[in-house]
Amino acid sequence: LESVYYQRDVKDLIEWNMISNFMVKPINTGTALIKGIELNISLKQQQHILSANLNLIKAINQDNLPVISIPKYKWNIRLSNQLSKNILTYTEYQTIGGNILTIGSKNYLPDRKYLNMGTEITIQENSIICLSFNNILNNQAEDQYGFPLPGQQFFLSSTIQI
């Protein structure tokens, strides 16, 4: 079990506000305070690992209004399976929510819900190749009104420690 508290003061915060169907305007909303708590728990049974993460966030600007594009909460559940010494697979369900619709609005965007899967292959002790397929169900979502996020995504990455 792990927990972390964090706090950040932001100066000259720029928020993008939709002013018409086809126009977005940057607005300097001044300062903001972003703080939150993150909780992690992990359970291991032989080659299986079940982990969960919860992040509660409070982000307010100098007018005591919520900062758009910063969610109020994020949580995920991940099941990993160590198939062999070198191969780990995982399936993850993730929810992100509580994004305010526009500056000054009391309405919120729908929660973003994703199903992700991936594999991590250890080539040598210091090198790993990762394959991941995110948003498998192709859920359409927005971080902020009028700014759609990508649908399905496939990633291939490698890490080499020197």
Side-chain angles (χ1 to χ4, degrees), residues 5-152:
Y5 172 81
Y6 57 90
Q7 181 172 318
R8 190 170 127 202
D9 293 315
V10 179
K11 300 190 181 354
D12 291 327
L13 177 69
I14 303 294
E15 295 187 83
W16 295 90
N17 198 24
M18 184 74 80
I19 56 175
S20 74
N21 284 342
F22 302 104
M23 224 169 193
V24 178
K25 180 180 179 184
I27 298 174
N28 186 332
T29 56
T31 61
L33 176 64
I34 302 168
K35 58 185 175 179
I37 186 165
E38 185 169 355
L39 304 170
N40 294 303
I41 189 166
S42 209
L43 304 168
K44 186 173 182 176
Q45 177 67 33
Q46 296 175 354
Q47 77 269 20
H48 307 291
I49 303 168
L50 179 64
S51 58
N53 175 279
L54 172 65
N55 193 347
L56 301 173
I57 308 158
K58 183 173 185 180
I60 54 172
N61 65 19
Q62 65 190 16
D63 297 324
N64 209 30
L65 295 171
V67 176
I68 57 176
S69 78
I70 296 181
K72 283 189 168 188
Y73 56 87
K74 300 178 189 180
W75 65 268
N76 71 351
I77 295 175
R78 181 177 183 151
L79 178 61
S80 302
N81 189 15
Q82 192 77 46
L83 297 178
S84 71
K85 180 183 172 194
N86 298 343
I87 301 174
L88 175 96
T89 61
Y90 68 87
T91 303
E92 174 183 69
Y93 179 79
Q94 179 182 44
T95 296
I96 303 170
N99 283 71
I100 198 79
L101 184 62
T102 57
I103 294 175
S105 174
K106 294 186 191 244
N107 298 319
Y108 291 87
L109 291 168
D111 289 358
R112 299 183 303 245
K113 298 176 181 179
Y114 300 121
L115 179 63
N116 307 319
M117 297 179 86
T119 300
E120 296 175 3
I121 303 167
T122 303
I123 305 301
Q124 294 179 353
E125 191 175 305
N126 64 342
S127 60
I128 299 171
I129 293 177
C130 299
L131 305 165
S132 61
F133 189 29
N134 296 343
N135 195 8
I136 292 170
L137 302 177
N138 200 26
N139 290 336
Q140 302 302 302
E142 297 175 315
D143 228 358
Q144 186 176 337
Y145 180 73
F147 293 87
L149 296 170
Q152 293 175 337

